[in-house]
Amino acid sequence: GNSVTQMEGPVTLSEEAFLTINCTYTATGYPSLFWYVQYPGEGLQLLLKATKADDKGSNKGFEATYRKETTSFHLEKGSVQVSDSAVYFCALQGGSEKLVFGKGTKLTVNP
Amino acid sequence: GAVVSQHPSRVICKSGTSVKIECRSLDFQATTMFWYRQFPKKSLMLMATSNEGSKATYEQGVEKDKFLINHASLTLSTLTVTSAHPEDSSFYICSARVVRSDTQYFGPGTRLTVL
């Protein structure tokens, strides 16, 4: 079945540091890929998505590229801020329209 | 656009009582809504898929009679936790899928505590 594996946290960075959160997936066919962010005490918010190979999703300085050859969708940001502190979830959606989530990576950014 | 609300945001109830959680799409119509459960420090677990006007489809291991789902309109789905027990305490999140889109938009979640 479909599955998502993302790097375990927690990840702690200083403000303005470079961020990478790795995400790899296993799926049949050609799934859509997503990154969701969950701020403390809140529900999930869609951060970015990509629907086909080589697509790059981007939002709020975050980027992720759909790499079919490596089955990856790593999240990156060049310079993180304290306000980026949250839990980040990688997810895929196959033909059944169900979202399959990774376990989440908690990011803490210190001033 | 694409805002999903949940009510209540927090609820505390006694063991044995029933609790209803509402999920509304505020500015779009959602033929499909999803209910998830999130345990502390863990990922989201899909409980059921709710389609407007039809019975919900439950994931394996989710009790249909305990978690009643109703999707009465294109903007409202409800989850009723019946005869709640302390082990039902969790964070329940709904999402709604925009018609003709693969994107799900999530509600802010409901924190249920059963005493």
Side-chain angles (χ1 to χ4, degrees):
Chain A
N2 296 343
S3 66
V4 174
T5 302
Q6 62 181 102
M7 64 184 287
E8 293 189 22
V11 174
T12 302
L13 296 173
S14 298
E15 208 165 22
E16 300 184 3
F18 184 86
L19 168 71
T20 299
I21 301 178
N22 290 337
C23 172
T24 57
Y25 67 90
T26 302
T28 54
Y30 303 95
S32 294
L33 301 174
F34 304 82
W35 276 99
Y36 282 87
V37 58
Q38 185 177 32
Y39 297 101
E42 300 183 12
L44 273 70
Q45 298 177 25
L46 176 65
L47 181 59
L48 53 85
K49 70 175 185 178
T51 57
K52 62 182 187 297
D54 299 326
D55 268 2
K56 177 186 283 188
S58 61
N59 185 27
K60 300 181 181 179
F62 290 91
E63 292 183 340
T65 301
Y66 190 143
R67 301 285 188 200
K68 189 171 184 297
E69 63 275 15
T70 55
T71 61
S72 66
F73 193 55
H74 305 321
L75 182 68
E76 296 182 338
K77 186 173 185 181
S79 176
V80 293
Q81 306 300 313
V82 173
S83 57
D84 294 326
S85 298
V87 180
Y88 292 82
F89 291 92
C90 184
L92 71 79
Q93 185 177 62
S96 70
E97 81 179 352
K98 296 178 186 179
L99 274 173
V100 176
F101 287 90
K103 292 187 177 180
T105 303
K106 182 176 181 180
L107 170 66
T108 301
V109 180
N110 295 318
Chain B
V3 177
V4 177
S5 70
Q6 278 185 244
H7 178 80
S9 57
R10 292 179 178 270
V11 57
I12 300 173
C13 68
K14 293 182 179 180
S15 186
T17 61
S18 294
V19 174
K20 180 184 284 188
I21 302 170
E22 292 186 349
C23 175
R24 293 182 185 272
S25 56
L26 298 185
D27 50 3
F28 65 98
Q29 293 185 331
T31 54
T32 305
M33 290 184 171
F34 303 84
W35 287 95
Y36 296 83
R37 183 172 178 176
Q38 186 179 30
F39 294 95
K41 299 183 180 180
K42 291 196 182 283
S43 189
L44 281 73
M45 180 192 81
L46 179 65
M47 299 175 65
T49 302
S50 167
N51 290 297
E52 186 266 337
S54 62
K55 291 184 178 180
T57 302
Y58 291 81
E59 295 299 300
Q60 191 172 11
V62 178
E63 298 177 59
K64 301 178 183 181
D65 295 332
K66 181 166 188 60
F67 298 100
L68 301 179
I69 291 172
N70 182 276
H71 193 159
S73 76
L74 288 172
T75 59
L76 173 65
S77 177
T78 60
L79 167 68
T80 301
V81 182
T82 62
S83 187
H85 290 281
E87 57 265 31
D88 299 325
S89 297
S90 192
F91 196 52
Y92 292 87
I93 303 175
C94 73
S95 71
R97 186 174 67 90
V98 178
V99 175
R100 292 185 297 277
S101 169
D102 61 359
T103 301
Q104 292 183 29
Y105 293 91
F106 285 77
T110 296
R111 173 74 61 193
L112 170 64
T113 303
V114 183
L115 302 177

